[in-house]
Amino acid sequence: MVLNRFILIILFILPVELYASAQGLNLDWIDKTKSPQEDFYAYANGAWQKNNPIPMEYSSWSNFSILQKNMQEKLNRMMLDLSKNEHLKKGSIEQQIGDFYATGMDAELLNQQGYSKLNPLFESIQTVKTLSDFEALIPKLQMMGVNVLFSFGRMQDYKHSDRMIAAAMQGGLGLPDRDYYLSSDKKKAKIRSLYESHIREMFKLVGESESVSMEYAKAILKIETALAKASLTQVEQRDPYAIYHMMTVNEVQNLTPHFLWSDYLEQLHLGAVQSMNVGMPDFFKALDHLLVTITVDDWKIYARWHVLHAFADYLSDPLVQASFRFDQAFTGAKKLQPRWQRVEATVNNSLDFAVGKYYVEHYFSEKSKAQVSTMINEIRQSFKQTIEHATWMTAATKKSALKKLDLMTERVGYPEHWRNYHGLIIQRSSFVENVIHAAEFNNQYDLAKIGQPVDRTEWSMAPQTINAYYDPSMNSMTILAGILQPPFFDPSAPAAVNYGAIGFVLGHEMTHGFDDQGALFDGEGNLKNWWTERDMKQFKAATQCIQEQFSHYQVEPGVSVQGKLVVGEATADLGGILLAYQAFHRSSAYQRAQLIDGFTPDQQFFLGVAHVWAGNIRPEQARSLVALDPHPPMKYRVNGSLANIPVFQEAYHLKKSGPMVHEPRCVIW
Ligand SMILES: [Zn+2]
């Protein structure tokens, strides 16, 4: 597992009709009954929203989902073809993809096997007699992808970015976040009680009685609530200093006297590790106390539950459906996705770079790579000027900022080296076994990097993902092949639209290097202050403005956006739009830009910005995202950002005040 909380992406869980108008401007997405003065998002996207209701099996529906689904269809065709060939070379990637897919699609086999493939695991839990037996099981389960007790993996050392270190972080919960256990909010309390009944139902499905299942659920809730109490909130985890505590193995051992780290590390072939980052020392202290106050029998129930919870989606239909019914509380989806879609996603997730290589070879155009690289250079120039002209910044800080910008690397499309999957055993006998083998293989691959020099050519996301990210430890932005498609990037669209859409994405990632978190890392990717005290104070006041602005937005009455959680992403959005706008104005394309259906080039640019986020979302999903997602809701990514941009207000001739004009204007970059 790669434990980097600070890989900042343009979107989170979310994912074309490729385009409506011949010019790629998508004027038919506009709802002319809405006023750009009151709600630009609704004006720019209202007709799209009306014409694109959320399909039953989705929690939200947006341009990302449409591209995601198209991508799944392409990759599914490839997987299906490979699965039909039973004579592929054993151990080849084609055989691995084809056989993996075949086991997931074989409904008859899955239903016949039920949960029997988990029995060996259940038995190994059953044989546990002592606390040390239980502890010996932990690394084995974690390597399979079972979330027990805590998370363990590798990360770049925040303060020595050339080192790859081991890291232990809070974890072990069955619900997505601590607040679901602790909050007095009614909707979260409801989810808590649904979770309890879900655990009961799942245990009954694997043969336990009603009364035993009820006892089990209570024991599990008790353990997880104690872990939740010791966990940091989402907002607290945004501070890199709060989750960075380098300790020697001896120090970690003293922190948790009842967990034997030397045995744990030895089992993971990490016996040589001398020190690690313990992200949340208080969590581990509390965990240690729990290890000796909870009975071994209850720990066994907890472990068994997490095995079931982790793998239910890859078992027979009754278990898959029970798992889906519980997920509905978070997603609001009305229907389970068809099998091919679930299986494609699983294979894609397990063999991500192998699938990505196929995508790039068959669908990616080198031409778009060159065009996007040119745009990145233009945006970098805009950022350089912005820093040089910043009136609030002293010369010393400017110098460091320019150095960081200069050192920032960019990667577009796909990695120069492809990782291989030699030695991963995938067979036609069991879907869940394939899932487990792939997780073990991928986790071993990650852990083997601990203690090795950092590989700066490594990518954290596979190229077929519809996304982009900035990694502060690498000081590098990565634009994945998957996002270089309409409506984000369309070589045939007017330049204004491309600058508003992909230009915005590029500027967004670049600004992450200088948002409230990125600004704490220097050009070499080290957590090290490069600001004068006065400049940092001014910068904090500016981000505070964004934080307050977004805290006033709500997704439904009583459910407010967490300004402190979204401040980094909202800063990147605001910076990204401004940089893309400046780059557009300095480009030769701007000189040639023309009116289209009465829309000026600037108006087209801002439509391009808004169209990136055209989407609909179910209330359950909106609530989940407000709790977990560091990105603002789609509507406010547009309206909240544009309300701080005077050239937008001029382009649409808006009055001096109103919902689309934020006062005082927040200015960061
Ligand atoms: Zn982002």
Side-chain angles (χ1 to χ4, degrees):
M1 201 183 317
V2 184
L3 294 179
N4 191 344
R5 278 197 60 86
F6 298 110
I7 291 182
L8 298 149
I9 55 181
I10 182 133
L11 71 134
F12 185 56
I13 297 167
L14 317 178
V16 180
E17 264 88 288
L18 286 179
Y19 26 124
S21 99
Q23 300 104 332
L25 181 57
N26 301 316
L27 292 174
D28 56 347
W29 294 12
I30 294 177
D31 179 353
K32 292 214 168 114
T33 68
K34 298 276 164 40
S35 148
Q37 176 83 48
E38 295 300 316
D39 181 345
F40 188 70
Y41 181 85
Y43 165 78
N45 294 323
W48 186 99
Q49 289 182 294
K50 225 172 282 164
N51 295 327
N52 290 276
I54 308 173
M56 304 269 273
E57 58 271 37
Y58 279 81
S59 56
S60 64
W61 190 246
S62 65
N63 286 309
F64 287 94
S65 344
I66 294 170
L67 279 192
Q68 180 66 35
K69 187 157 186 225
N70 287 348
M71 178 69 78
Q72 284 197 284
E73 281 163 358
K74 281 181 191 135
L75 298 175
N76 188 62
R77 277 195 294 276
M78 177 263 292
M79 293 181 190
L80 181 64
D81 283 349
L82 291 174
S83 74
K84 286 179 184 156
N85 187 343
E86 295 198 35
H87 306 289
L88 293 164
K89 188 169 161 258
K90 253 208 160 61
S92 67
I93 196 61
E94 289 80 5
Q95 176 268 323
Q96 288 165 333
I97 293 174
D99 285 358
F100 203 150
Y101 182 85
T103 53
M105 292 304 290
D106 192 341
E108 203 180 316
L109 179 70
L110 282 160
N111 285 324
Q112 180 206 324
Q113 288 175 341
Y115 60 89
S116 63
K117 292 290 171 185
L118 295 182
N119 280 338
L121 255 179
F122 288 150
E123 277 154 27
S124 63
I125 295 170
Q126 216 36 55
T127 58
V128 164
K129 298 251 176 329
T130 64
L131 181 61
S132 76
D133 294 345
F134 172 66
E135 289 183 8
L137 209 57
I138 298 302
K140 192 176 159 201
L141 293 175
Q142 288 175 343
M143 288 294 275
M144 294 177 175
V146 180
N147 179 16
V148 279
L149 299 189
F150 58 91
S151 300
F152 186 83
R154 56 139 166 148
M155 62 178 275
Q156 255 173 289
D157 188 334
Y158 285 161
K159 292 199 174 167
H160 303 276
S161 66
D162 53 342
R163 290 190 206 157
M164 195 58 86
I165 55 167
M169 299 276 175
Q170 68 188 40
L173 304 181
L175 288 167
D177 183 59
R178 74 187 286 284
D179 286 358
Y180 287 99
Y181 297 86
L182 309 173
S183 164
S184 55
D185 168 69
K186 271 194 195 132
K187 295 219 159 87
K188 290 215 171 73
K190 173 94 195 298
I191 286 186
R192 204 147 60 225
S193 83
L194 278 174
Y195 181 51
E196 198 169 334
S197 21
H198 174 58
I199 300 174
R200 270 180 7 227
E201 189 191 356
M202 294 292 274
F203 273 114
K204 282 197 282 181
L205 285 169
V206 297
E208 298 295 352
S209 70
E210 170 74 44
S211 61
V212 166
S213 303
M214 200 184 290
E215 250 175 66
Y216 283 6
K218 293 224 175 321
I220 289 157
L221 258 300
K222 189 181 155 202
I223 293 174
E224 292 184 4
T225 305
L227 292 175
K229 275 186 189 149
S231 299
L232 296 183
T233 64
Q234 294 291 331
V235 168
E236 285 164 344
Q237 292 179 75
R238 291 196 71 250
D239 174 6
Y241 290 99
I243 58 167
Y244 179 75
H245 307 277
M246 284 306 288
M247 292 185 188
T248 63
V249 173
N250 275 340
E251 286 167 336
V252 189
Q253 191 56 62
N254 290 335
L255 182 74
T256 58
H258 301 100
F259 189 83
L260 202 55
W261 285 96
S262 54
D263 282 8
Y264 175 84
L265 292 169
E266 202 61 59
Q267 269 208 62
L268 295 174
H269 313 293
L270 293 172
V273 164
Q274 303 283 324
S275 60
M276 64 171 103
N277 174 25
V278 177
M280 300 82 182
D282 289 344
F283 173 86
F284 283 89
K285 227 185 270 177
L287 174 61
D288 188 71
H289 177 70
L290 285 178
L291 285 174
V292 284
T293 48
I294 300 288
T295 64
V296 171
D297 281 341
D298 280 358
W299 281 125
K300 287 162 68 173
I301 293 164
Y302 166 83
R304 202 164 145 213
W305 162 243
H306 276 274
V307 167
L308 201 49
H309 195 38
F311 301 124
D313 291 344
Y314 319 108
L315 303 173
S316 55
D317 290 344
L319 286 146
V320 171
Q321 272 148 11
S323 168
F324 168 72
R325 281 195 297 276
F326 176 60
D327 285 345
Q328 284 181 300
F330 303 95
T331 64
K334 306 285 180 230
K335 220 170 98 184
L336 184 63
Q337 288 196 341
R339 189 179 298 277
W340 74 263
Q341 223 171 336
R342 289 179 278 132
V343 175
E344 187 282 334
T346 304
V347 177
N348 185 47
N349 190 37
S350 298
L351 301 171
D352 52 358
F353 283 92
V355 174
K357 185 164 184 269
Y358 172 89
Y359 171 75
V360 166
E361 284 168 2
H362 289 80
Y363 295 101
F364 186 61
S365 148
E366 292 294 329
K367 210 171 137 197
S368 42
K369 191 170 165 170
Q371 281 173 307
V372 169
S373 297
T374 307
M375 269 175 108
I376 294 178
N377 278 335
E378 293 170 349
I379 287 172
R380 196 189 285 269
Q381 287 309 314
S382 300
F383 210 156
K384 196 170 163 224
Q385 285 198 349
T386 301
I387 295 170
E388 281 164 352
H389 295 157
T391 50
W392 56 277
M393 215 181 207
T394 56
T397 309
K398 276 185 188 177
K399 201 174 151 206
S400 308
L402 289 169
K403 186 176 165 213
K404 176 165 184 177
L405 180 65
D406 198 42
L407 287 171
M408 189 185 291
T409 55
E410 64 197 48
R411 291 110 57 106
V412 179
Y414 54 91
E416 48 189 296
H417 309 295
W418 294 101
R419 65 167 284 202
N420 69 58
Y421 293 79
H422 297 162
L424 167 60
I425 296 173
I426 299 290
Q427 293 173 319
R428 286 211 172 216
S429 46
S430 157
F431 187 42
V432 72
E433 279 178 0
N434 286 337
V435 169
I436 291 174
H437 291 160
E440 288 172 331
F441 185 86
N442 288 327
N443 283 326
Q444 268 157 19
Y445 173 86
D446 280 333
L447 293 186
K449 301 212 166 214
I450 292 171
Q452 302 295 319
V454 168
D455 175 5
R456 290 194 173 263
T457 64
E458 189 186 21
W459 289 38
S460 305
M461 265 188 224
Q464 69 277 30
T465 320
I466 320 291
N467 219 327
Y469 69 90
Y470 171 78
D471 181 342
S473 292
M474 293 274 193
N475 189 25
S476 169
M477 57 189 273
T478 306
I479 313 302
L480 301 160
I483 202 168
L484 299 181
Q485 303 180 63
F488 300 103
F489 176 66
D490 178 359
S492 65
V497 175
N498 278 326
Y499 279 93
I502 196 73
F504 167 20
V505 172
L506 304 174
H508 171 101
E509 300 308 340
M510 202 175 283
T511 307
H512 268 316
F514 302 87
D515 71 11
D516 67 318
Q517 287 175 331
L520 304 174
F521 292 80
D522 70 9
E524 270 90 28
N526 290 313
L527 186 58
K528 191 171 156 191
N529 183 42
W530 47 270
W531 295 71
T532 66
E533 204 179 315
R534 203 203 77 173
D535 289 339
M536 189 41 115
K537 220 170 135 193
Q538 298 246 32
F539 178 70
K540 279 192 175 153
T543 54
Q544 176 77 19
C545 174
I546 296 254
Q547 198 174 298
E548 281 167 16
Q549 178 195 359
F550 279 76
S551 297
H552 285 104
Y553 297 136
Q554 294 195 324
V555 292
E556 64 180 46
V559 184
S560 296
V561 173
Q562 300 187 68
K564 283 186 179 169
L565 182 60
V566 303
V567 59
E569 294 296 337
T571 300
D573 283 342
L574 176 56
I577 298 169
L578 287 169
L579 291 175
Y581 180 84
Q582 288 157 19
F584 173 48
H585 271 244
R586 293 194 1 234
S587 71
S588 56
Y590 180 69
Q591 305 304 322
R592 298 189 303 271
Q594 290 174 349
L595 277 185
I596 299 176
D597 276 15
F599 285 88
T600 65
D602 275 8
Q603 288 176 332
Q604 296 164 34
F605 171 88
F606 290 111
L607 281 177
V609 167
H611 286 164
V612 166
W613 299 109
N616 287 308
I617 185 161
R618 296 191 195 279
E620 293 86 346
Q621 175 76 354
R623 285 196 286 271
S624 307
L625 293 183
V626 161
L628 297 170
D629 186 356
H631 302 85
M634 294 186 278
K635 173 176 167 179
Y636 299 117
R637 295 192 79 162
V638 176
N639 286 358
S641 307
L642 295 183
N644 287 317
I645 298 184
V647 282
F648 156 72
Q649 291 139 13
E650 284 159 28
Y652 279 91
H653 315 294
L654 304 189
K655 295 191 203 101
K656 291 257 178 303
S657 67
M660 290 305 305
V661 183
H662 184 249
E663 284 167 322
R665 178 189 168 201
C666 301
V667 184
I668 300 189
W669 294 110

